[in-house]
Structure formats: C-alpha cells, structure tokens
Amino acid sequence: MGRPPCCDKLGVKKGPWTPEEDIMLVSYVQKHGPGNWRQVPINTGLLRCSKSCRLRWANYLRPGIRRGDFTDDEEKMIIQLQSLLGNKWAAIASYLPERTDNDIKNHWNTHLKKKLIKRLQMGFEDQDLNHNNKDRFMCSTTSSSSSHSVSRGQWEKRLQTDIQMAKQALNDALSIDHKSIMVPQTIKSCTQKTIYPCSTDNIAKLLKGFMKNSSNNNKACSNSSINETSDELISESKASSGTNLSETFESIFGFHPSFPSPNNSDFSPASASPEGSVFQEESKEALQFSMLENWLLDQTSEVVVKEDLCNFPFDGDTIFED
DNA sequence: AACGCATACAACCGCATGGAA
DNA sequence: ATTCCATGCGGTTGTATGCGT
C-alpha cells in the first residue's frame, strides 16, 4: 500500500543552496529531465528533500527565468492581474513567463503592496473614502484575511463587481476588435516562440562562484555518475573561465541561452538530449497542439495581451502611476 | 568602525488535490 | 475503498545586504 516516504527528515540539509549543490541538481536535470523529484536526492547524493530540489529548480535554476528589476509594464500587469485574480500567484505568473510565482509574490509583498497602500492612503486623505474600493484593496493585500469589518452585503457586491470585471476582461481579450487572446502560459507553454533570457545568468553566477571555490574543493563531489558530469562541468567552467559562460551553458543544456527555450518554462530533455524518450510522446502531442495553436494565435498575440492588460482600466492603474 | 534597523529575497512549511498502489 | 505519496500552491520565516546614525 502506498509508497515509501519521499525523504526522511533526518539528515536533510536546509538553508541556502551552494553552487556545488546547484551544479549537481542542474546536471541531474540535464540528464533526466525535471520531474520525479523523489529520485533526485537519491540519485544525486544531495542531502536535500525532493521538495527543496523541485523548488530550487523551479524558482532559480530552470531556463527561462529572468531575475532582477521588474519593468513598469510588468508591475502594472501584476497589479492588474492581482486585482483580477487575487493572490493567485501561479496564475499571475502564467502571464509573465519569465517570472516565477515566488518572485512575483515577493515583489508584490515588498514593493507593490507598499506602493499601493501609500498611494491609497494619500488618495483617501484627499477625498471621501470610497469604502468599496478600500475594502476591496485591503482584502487583497491582507491575504484574504477577513478580520476587517466588511458586511456580507458589501462582500457580495464586491464579488459581483469582481466577476463583472473578470467578464469584461475576458470579453475584451476575446473580442475580435482587439484581436488578442489571453492565453495563460500554462496553455501556451508548448509552442511559445517568444525569446526571453534563460537563466544563463544564474548558472553563470553559480559557476563563477563555484570556480572561485573549486580550486580547493574540486573533490567535494565524490559519488555516483552525476559527479562525473559535475566534474565535466567544473573542468568546462575552468576551461572557459574568463570567457563567455554562456558557452558553458550551451554545453550543459544543449542549446544556446539566447535561443528560445525548447519548452518555455520547463527544461525539455526531449530536445536537449537524445535519451529523453519519455518526453517524445509529449512533444508529439505538443506538435499537434502547436499546429492548432498557431492557427488560433498569431505570434503578436502575446504583445497585444500585455498591452491589453496594461491598458485595462483597473483602479490599480491610476493608483500605480507616479 | 560599529551598531541597529529596514529591506529584499531565497527557502521552508503546511495544506489541498490528484493519482498510484 | 482506502491509504499514502507527489506535486503545486500560497503564506511565512530566516538570512544576507544596505543604509543611516
């Protein structure tokens, strides 16, 4: 019955990941593809729980992630999507394929929420309080804790407004006039051709960091086949030290970082390595789907989607503008 | 230079859900 | 039908870093 536990809590390492661990994880995913996370700590010798490995990959190491400053457009999109979807960070992230839900959530909590609160406070001081708006906002910024006094009637009214807004947004997005379709990234993922930076920087950073230390701890990785790959990586990174690290990336992942990633957010071993046969069925389906999708969507749609969202008349828009 | 506080972000925790055994 | 695992998600925490005094 059932399965053995994914990892015993004893002997599981916690805290920040080291470059060595990152390389071991990247090497493993390169060989076997993402998924089956339970096997990752077992096969790599990483003293991490499977969950931690998955998170590290998803939020930091996987190709296609852009880190650093959020653009104004991105911030606007987040604000608008947040007002539309609430704290559904995964859903919001699907509209911003370069960003992870964790990143968006952090950015919201550290920057945008404060910005909006400040802005709202200024607004409320100036004019009579619009309780509906205030309540609605406070609700969305307090992780749906309903400790504040919103009567049921108000809540229902607000819900209806939200539904109306969602309908409106959907209508706008689907309208022929706009000729744009809002397609969450989860649906588009198979064929999206938009070029966005892979996590080259992240890999490069970790390689750089590793190179600094590698001189005295080359032997750090000392078990199983994965370490052979790690050693290859180390020697490769040494060989290319001072040169373009994206070449190293290319050799690791089998495609150049400036190219579109084979499968949007997910690393696709099917296209990166010949032994990724498990994914071949998937890619067949993806191919079929992409034909349909290409028929349904033109390449400009994403741009239009972004523009639509940025122009969508949420109250957040006026709040956001500085 | 040293200290304390604030901020940003990576990582963890707990829960929900779907699915395999 | 039941148990239990894998995964995904959102909330929270811990730590590194920056900044002011």
Side-chain angles (χ1 to χ4, degrees):
Chain A
M1 279 309 158
R3 298 170 186 164
C6 74
C7 58
D8 51 347
K9 293 272 177 183
L10 293 167
V12 172
K13 194 182 163 193
K14 283 161 60 165
W17 280 65
T18 63
E20 290 93 336
E21 288 177 314
D22 281 341
I23 288 176
M24 287 165 83
L25 180 57
V26 169
S27 304
Y28 181 85
V29 175
Q30 181 211 359
K31 272 195 172 178
H32 301 91
N36 202 6
W37 294 106
R38 196 176 147 238
Q39 290 301 318
V40 175
I42 297 166
N43 293 340
T44 58
L46 281 166
L47 298 173
R48 297 279 181 172
C49 96
S50 55
K51 214 171 177 179
S52 182
C53 294
R54 185 179 61 80
L55 227 63
R56 181 65 179 171
W57 173 259
N59 288 335
Y60 198 85
L61 297 173
R62 76 173 157 85
I65 296 175
R66 185 151 65 89
R67 311 193 66 77
D69 293 344
F70 280 69
T71 65
D72 283 355
D73 278 353
E74 283 177 321
E75 289 193 337
K76 279 184 183 179
M77 271 185 79
I78 292 167
I79 288 168
Q80 289 162 354
L81 286 166
Q82 203 279 342
S83 75
L84 187 66
L85 303 169
N87 294 357
K88 302 287 178 193
W89 305 116
I92 292 169
S94 70
Y95 290 89
L96 294 154
E98 297 168 19
R99 304 290 187 178
T100 67
D101 51 356
N102 208 34
D103 238 14
I104 292 170
K105 180 174 63 183
N106 281 335
H107 191 66
W108 171 264
N109 286 328
T110 54
H111 295 97
L112 301 180
K113 202 159 92 176
K114 285 172 193 168
K115 250 186 199 177
L116 289 174
I117 287 172
K118 205 174 173 182
R119 202 74 195 177
L120 269 182
Q121 279 172 348
M122 285 167 62
F124 288 139
E125 279 167 15
D126 290 348
Q127 53 186 293
D128 290 341
L129 300 185
N130 179 331
H131 289 290
N132 278 344
N133 281 341
K134 192 181 183 182
D135 285 342
R136 181 160 155 268
F137 173 71
M138 295 311 279
C139 194
S140 73
T141 54
T142 52
S143 62
S144 74
S145 71
S146 51
S147 56
H148 61 289
S149 55
V150 181
S151 74
R152 191 180 160 178
Q154 281 176 318
W155 186 85
E156 281 174 354
K157 207 170 182 179
R158 196 168 62 218
L159 186 65
Q160 280 182 348
T161 313
D162 286 345
I163 291 168
Q164 281 299 325
M165 282 171 61
K167 279 182 180 173
Q168 176 66 45
L170 201 61
N171 269 334
D172 281 4
L174 293 172
S175 73
I176 299 166
D177 291 344
H178 285 68
K179 212 195 167 193
S180 66
I181 302 169
M182 287 165 78
V183 182
Q185 186 262 333
T186 46
I187 298 170
K188 297 202 294 181
S189 62
C190 301
T191 58
Q192 191 181 46
K193 295 192 183 75
T194 315
I195 295 171
Y196 54 86
C198 300
S199 57
T200 329
D201 292 346
N202 304 329
I203 307 292
K205 264 187 233 161
L206 74 88
L207 283 172
K208 267 183 184 166
F210 188 85
M211 275 151 51
K212 278 183 194 165
N213 302 325
S214 62
S215 56
N216 52 8
N217 60 6
N218 241 353
K219 52 199 178 277
C221 320
S222 61
N223 65 358
S224 82
S225 64
I226 201 69
N227 294 320
E228 293 169 26
T229 324
S230 300
D231 287 341
E232 284 168 27
L233 285 169
I234 293 157
S235 55
E236 255 181 271
S237 64
K238 276 185 174 171
S240 62
S241 66
T243 64
N244 187 3
L245 280 164
S246 69
E247 286 168 19
T248 311
F249 181 97
E250 190 179 357
S251 69
I252 296 169
F253 289 104
F255 59 90
H256 193 277
S258 62
F259 293 165
S261 72
N263 183 5
N264 199 10
S265 58
D266 285 334
F267 177 74
S268 166
S271 50
S273 68
E275 63 264 32
S277 55
V278 186
F279 296 81
Q280 280 171 6
E281 279 304 311
E282 226 174 276
S283 54
K284 269 188 210 167
E285 287 172 25
L287 195 69
Q288 288 175 347
F289 181 71
S290 71
M291 288 169 67
L292 269 174
E293 194 184 351
N294 283 336
W295 179 70
L296 285 167
L297 309 168
D298 66 17
Q299 288 306 302
T300 61
S301 63
E302 199 199 11
V303 179
V304 183
V305 167
K306 283 187 177 175
E307 281 170 4
D308 270 6
L309 278 165
C310 289
N311 297 329
F312 194 80
F314 294 103
D315 9 346
D317 212 23
T318 51
I319 291 162
F320 180 76
E321 282 165 8
D322 248 356

Coordinates of all heavy atoms in Angstrom, one line a residue, chain A residues 101-102 112 146 185 236 282 293 298:
Chain A
D101 N 6.4 32.4 -9.8 CA 5.3 32.9 -8.9 C 5.9 33.4 -7.6 O 5.5 34.4 -7.0 CB 4.3 31.7 -8.6 CG 5.0 30.5 -8.1 OD1 6.2 30.4 -8.1 OD2 4.3 29.5 -7.8
N102 N 7.0 32.7 -7.1 CA 7.7 33.2 -5.9 C 8.2 34.6 -6.1 O 8.1 35.4 -5.2 CB 8.8 32.2 -5.6 CG 9.1 32.2 -4.1 OD1 8.2 32.3 -3.3 ND2 10.3 32.0 -3.8
L112 N 5.2 46.3 -4.4 CA 3.9 46.8 -5.0 C 2.9 47.1 -3.9 O 2.2 48.1 -4.0 CB 3.4 45.8 -6.0 CG 4.4 45.6 -7.2 CD1 3.8 44.6 -8.1 CD2 4.7 46.9 -7.9
S146 N -10.2 38.1 6.6 CA -11.4 38.9 6.7 C -11.7 39.5 8.0 O -12.8 39.7 8.5 CB -12.6 38.1 6.2 OG -12.6 36.9 7.0
Q185 N 0.2 31.1 -19.8 CA 1.4 30.5 -20.2 C 1.3 29.0 -20.1 O 1.9 28.2 -20.8 CB 2.6 31.0 -19.4 CG 3.9 30.5 -19.9 CD 4.4 29.4 -19.0 OE1 4.0 29.3 -17.9 NE2 5.2 28.5 -19.6
E236 N 34.9 22.2 -17.5 CA 34.4 23.0 -18.6 C 34.4 24.5 -18.2 O 34.9 25.4 -18.9 CB 33.0 22.6 -19.0 CG 32.9 21.9 -20.3 CD 31.5 21.6 -20.5 OE1 31.0 20.5 -20.1 OE2 30.8 22.4 -21.2
E282 N 5.1 13.3 -25.4 CA 4.6 14.6 -25.1 C 4.8 15.6 -26.2 O 4.0 16.4 -26.5 CB 5.4 15.0 -23.8 CG 4.4 15.6 -22.7 CD 5.2 15.8 -21.5 OE1 5.4 14.9 -20.7 OE2 5.7 17.0 -21.3
E293 N -2.6 25.6 -32.3 CA -2.4 26.8 -31.6 C -1.9 27.9 -32.6 O -2.4 29.1 -32.5 CB -1.3 26.7 -30.5 CG -1.3 27.8 -29.6 CD -0.2 27.6 -28.6 OE1 0.4 26.5 -28.6 OE2 0.2 28.5 -27.8
D298 N -1.7 34.2 -33.4 CA -0.5 34.6 -34.2 C 0.5 35.1 -33.2 O 0.3 35.2 -32.0 CB -0.9 35.7 -35.2 CG -1.3 37.0 -34.5 OD1 -1.0 37.1 -33.3 OD2 -1.9 37.8 -35.2

